[in-house]
Amino acid sequence: MRSCTIFRAIMASYRALCRLHLRGQGSFMTCVQKAHICVSRSVGTKVVATQAEDSGKDEREEKAGPKSLSAFLVERQEQAERSVLISCHPKTSEKKFLKYLSRHGDIKKHFFYDSYGTYAVVEFSTQDGVRSLLDAAVIPSVSHESAVPFKSRLLSLRTTGAVNQSDQQPGLQCRPQSTVPISELIQTLARQETVDQQIMCLTQAYQLTEENSRLRFLVCSLLKDIAAAYFPECTVKPFGSSVNGFGKLGCDLDMFLDLDDISGRDVQTPKSSLSVEYQMKRATSERAVTQSILSVIGECVDQFGPGCVGVQKILNARCPLVRFSHQPSGFQCDLTVNNRVALKSTELLYLYGLLDRRVRLLVFSVRCWARAHSLTSSIPGAWVTNFSLTVMVLFFLQRRSPPIIPPLDHLRQLAGPADRSVIEGNDCTFVSDFSKIQLQTNTETLEQLLNDFFEFYSTFPFGKMSINIRKGKEQNKPEVAPLHIQNPFETSLNVSKNVNSSQLERFVALCRESAWLLQQRDAPPAGAADGTPPAWGLATLLLPSQVGGVKSRRKRKREPASERIKSLLESLKSKNSPKNS
Ligand code: GTP
Ligand code: MG
């Protein structure tokens, strides 16, 4: 049995390496080492520190172990409340910009990025800095149009007289907020020496950065300011891949408007014989309340929200939402109300992602592979979602021998009284204290796991069985959907109900092809004459697939495949339906 102490030791050594790097010591600038440092950078264990005081904080975090999701949310929300978003000219002098802002308060952190123009995120040490800056801000003078007088923390830097934007001046250093193109990623991966290195490199290139995570919380905080016009005590919290540790740069921003503090969920019984209560308008159901709140907030975002465009109110969905683009950040946003089960799923994924570093690394590789082959899409449809795909990876890791992560039922048994959570009749209880979770010793490499993931799902009996991370075992399918993945908390639901059989067939065919491809080379090939290394290992898996057009790939010269893989290829050619496998 391996305890969480080992996990903490690994995390501590990552941070120690990182601090060494920040001090400019050592020469561990290889991609793999950077990836080791960065694999945990945007989740609860903050690694990339740009301010001196953060190093002391890292020491404290090492002792305390990984941060719980709720602690991480509180910290980031608090930072966001002290932050402003400022549009500025790309040739602005950073020095003058900071000097001007410092008049309003100490600046704790700032960074610039590009999204339909150049923006700065500026975090003040206290909210007084924000207030002072907002007091100094003026209403724009528009000659042909009229401005909606809604003041927010989204500002524009006006440059008059004193600040020169000379062309000689170097442009602002902008932090990237999007991923490198896949072709570039494939080249980088091809240069690595092992598949494990490739997987770490991919994660490093695609995961959310510290800055991107801050920007996501800032957008939530700006949304909260709009909703607060109606519900002053509300909060807007991010959930899903923005915070679960599996987010890729450019992923959507899922938010929920939390009205629990005002909805009377935790009502206290009055102590005195007399008490007063609010008179409130009644609706026929919770869903009707949610729809009316979202309808009004959606209208408000549309009419008054600076930078919010393309607002759609999707109120008849199973989970009603308002969808819009937040132009200054470039995020596609989905706003829901009191979506507490989704927050629990997010917390569960976050916890699994921190239990063993291979979880995140494998999820990133599989998500990226699925996207490269259009198995997933940002448009809703009959394809598998990233959430379902993540649950499939977790299930696979529970099925290893020995298992890499425990089933949800085991996490439920370890829960204490404070972890108890029942939402709309669904038991969402699981342990939050990482130190209570004992992991078994499994030393499998990432390469082995990636290969076995593809083999596992190449032969999974989708026709009969359901994927169940609560039990950590496949169960008989309760319904006839092509793919059945039990919702971890609303256990009567299938999270992949939308997937049709042709999408599942493509998934299985691609798993077979990928397992086969991964076994083609034991070692990376020699570099090509023009210096461009040929794709191999994980890089090959991201190239356009030949599934449905196997011929051209078959033309290429290959080493002989193992008997097992040959039979897999045979079954691919015979186009067996996954229902029969
Ligand atoms: P990407 O946005 O594709 O990067 O991944 P995501 O994990 O954020 O998925 P998505 O935006 O589709 O959903 C946001 C979150 O809602 C997920 O992380 C889950 O926590 C939750 N969620 C999504 N689909 C389901 C579902 O079918 N059932 C349940 N219980 N939760 C879901
Ligand atoms: Mg999402």
Side-chain angles (χ1 to χ4, degrees):
M1 300 287 273
R2 190 172 48 155
S3 81
C4 258
T5 320
I6 297 174
F7 168 75
R8 283 204 205 104
I10 294 167
M11 297 305 285
S13 62
Y14 287 158
R15 290 197 206 98
L17 275 170
C18 182
R19 279 200 301 281
L20 210 63
H21 165 53
L22 289 169
R23 289 179 203 139
Q25 298 168 12
S27 59
F28 62 103
M29 286 300 286
T30 67
C31 181
V32 184
Q33 284 160 321
K34 277 198 278 171
H36 265 88
I37 294 161
C38 293
V39 283
S40 60
R41 89 186 149 181
S42 65
V43 289
T45 48
K46 189 173 125 194
V47 173
V48 174
T50 53
Q51 309 287 314
E53 67 264 31
D54 284 340
S55 68
K57 204 164 145 202
D58 267 3
E59 301 278 359
R60 290 193 296 278
E61 280 176 4
E62 270 165 36
K63 285 188 194 132
K67 198 174 278 173
S68 71
L69 180 61
S70 49
F72 173 63
L73 292 180
V74 167
E75 181 186 306
R76 281 270 192 269
Q77 277 169 334
E78 200 267 325
Q79 284 168 348
E81 292 286 296
R82 289 184 277 104
S83 303
V84 292
L85 187 52
I86 308 178
S87 153
C88 42
H89 192 280
K91 293 278 180 189
T92 304
S93 152
E94 183 171 357
K95 209 170 142 197
K96 284 183 182 162
F97 176 71
L98 293 177
K99 195 172 163 201
Y100 166 71
L101 292 175
S102 303
R103 282 190 228 149
H104 297 281
D106 287 341
I107 295 168
K108 196 148 187 233
K109 175 158 177 112
H110 76 282
F111 63 89
F112 299 94
Y113 68 90
D114 268 329
S115 166
Y116 301 101
T118 304
Y119 286 86
V121 171
V122 179
E123 180 195 334
F124 285 97
S125 297
T126 66
Q127 285 202 4
D128 289 344
V130 176
R131 274 190 285 271
S132 164
L133 182 66
L134 294 188
D135 283 347
V138 295
I139 305 287
S141 54
V142 275
S143 48
H144 302 299
E145 296 166 306
S146 299
V148 177
F150 178 82
K151 293 180 176 177
S152 79
R153 283 176 286 141
L154 173 59
L155 305 163
S156 297
L157 184 71
R158 298 203 327 176
T159 50
T160 45
V163 182
N164 286 328
Q165 291 159 353
S166 120
D167 280 345
Q168 316 300 314
Q169 203 161 287
L172 292 166
Q173 286 284 315
C174 287
R175 301 293 180 111
Q177 304 298 320
S178 56
T179 53
V180 293
I182 190 118
S183 52
E184 209 175 293
L185 177 72
I186 289 173
Q187 283 190 23
T188 311
L189 298 186
R191 275 185 234 113
Q192 304 308 309
E193 285 168 11
T194 65
V195 173
D196 282 42
Q197 290 176 359
Q198 291 184 323
I199 291 175
M200 288 189 274
C201 226
L202 177 142
T203 307
Q204 189 204 12
Y206 272 21
Q207 70 187 349
L208 297 186
T209 58
E210 159 101 5
E211 285 82 11
N212 196 269
S213 165
R214 283 171 179 264
L215 185 56
R216 284 168 189 269
F217 278 85
L218 178 51
V219 173
C220 288
S221 176
L222 296 176
L223 247 285
K224 188 231 32 175
D225 289 350
I226 297 175
Y230 291 94
F231 305 106
E233 293 142 88
C234 73
T235 50
V236 172
K237 292 183 175 136
F239 68 98
S241 58
S242 294
V243 286
N244 65 15
F246 302 116
K248 179 181 143 190
L249 280 171
C251 69
D252 68 355
L253 172 56
D254 303 295
M255 300 178 268
F256 87 99
L257 177 65
D258 189 353
L259 300 171
D260 257 12
D261 286 345
I262 30 180
S263 66
R265 232 170 268 270
D266 303 316
V267 210
Q268 308 273 316
T269 333
K271 289 189 185 103
S272 123
S273 60
L274 282 184
S275 63
V276 288
E277 63 180 23
Y278 290 103
Q279 286 200 13
M280 287 179 168
K281 217 169 174 116
R282 310 282 162 107
T284 48
S285 63
E286 277 276 328
R287 182 175 166 85
V289 175
T290 297
Q291 286 170 326
S292 75
I293 292 171
L294 278 175
S295 174
V296 171
I297 302 291
E299 205 53 43
C300 210
V301 170
D302 193 18
Q303 304 292 331
F304 306 149
C308 301
V309 298
V311 179
Q312 299 171 56
K313 293 191 260 177
I314 308 170
L315 304 180
N316 288 322
R318 187 178 82 82
C319 183
L321 70 137
V322 170
R323 177 166 289 168
F324 60 95
S325 293
H326 186 257
Q327 246 177 9
S329 62
F331 296 142
Q332 181 68 32
C333 303
D334 279 353
L335 178 71
T336 52
V337 173
N338 282 346
N339 194 357
R340 308 203 72 78
V341 179
L343 192 67
K344 271 287 162 188
S345 322
T346 302
E347 216 178 306
L348 181 69
L349 262 49
Y350 174 89
L351 182 130
Y352 273 130
L354 284 180
L355 283 184
D356 186 294
R357 72 182 188 94
R358 289 170 293 183
V359 177
R360 285 188 71 227
L361 292 163
L362 205 61
V363 169
F364 264 95
S365 307
V366 171
R367 278 189 172 205
C368 185
W369 163 83
R371 191 73 187 90
H373 296 293
S374 306
L375 281 170
T376 53
S377 165
S378 54
I379 307 159
W383 27 86
V384 72
T385 62
N386 273 328
F387 180 63
S388 298
L389 208 54
T390 307
V391 176
M392 288 172 96
V393 176
L394 296 179
F395 181 72
F396 161 74
L397 294 172
Q398 290 174 338
R399 300 298 291 140
R400 303 309 293 164
S401 181
I404 291 180
I405 49 171
L408 175 55
D409 269 350
H410 179 69
L411 298 180
R412 187 182 171 282
Q413 283 158 15
L414 297 175
D419 297 323
R420 199 177 136 67
S421 162
V422 178
I423 302 167
E424 291 154 23
N426 301 298
D427 187 356
C428 301
T429 306
F430 61 91
V431 65
S432 58
D433 181 354
F434 290 81
S435 69
K436 286 191 189 165
I437 307 167
Q438 303 281 310
L439 300 176
Q440 299 190 48
T441 307
N442 174 312
T443 55
E444 288 173 295
T445 63
L446 288 164
E447 175 171 7
Q448 206 171 340
L449 290 171
L450 187 64
N451 180 70
D452 288 4
F453 170 87
F454 292 127
E455 285 198 3
F456 182 79
Y457 284 113
S458 296
T459 53
F460 189 84
F462 288 110
K464 285 188 295 222
M465 306 308 273
S466 159
I467 290 165
N468 185 320
I469 60 162
R470 185 161 270 284
K471 302 266 173 255
K473 282 195 190 110
E474 47 261 43
Q475 307 280 301
N476 285 327
K477 246 163 85 162
E479 57 179 56
V480 285
L483 175 61
H484 194 279
I485 304 175
Q486 192 198 55
N487 186 321
F489 297 118
E490 295 162 290
T491 53
S492 62
L493 302 179
N494 171 12
V495 300
S496 54
K497 202 182 165 81
N498 60 313
V499 178
N500 66 19
S501 40
S502 71
Q503 285 300 320
L504 179 62
E505 280 168 27
R506 279 197 70 226
F507 174 80
V508 173
L510 278 158
C511 282
R512 286 177 181 158
E513 189 194 48
S514 300
W516 189 84
L517 283 170
L518 265 184
Q519 294 185 18
Q520 291 315 289
R521 293 188 207 275
D522 290 333
D530 66 353
T532 313
W536 72 279
L538 179 58
T540 326
L541 304 192
L542 304 180
L543 291 170
S545 156
Q546 303 301 315
V547 165
V550 181
K551 277 183 201 147
S552 58
R553 190 164 258 175
R554 284 220 316 268
K555 277 184 200 155
R556 286 165 30 189
K557 196 173 170 243
R558 285 204 174 111
E559 294 120 347
S562 71
E563 285 309 309
R564 186 167 46 118
I565 296 304
K566 268 188 198 159
S567 72
L568 279 174
L569 197 67
E570 282 312 312
S571 61
L572 166 68
K573 277 189 277 179
S574 68
K575 288 198 167 67
N576 262 353
S577 154
K579 277 179 248 156
N580 305 327
S581 55

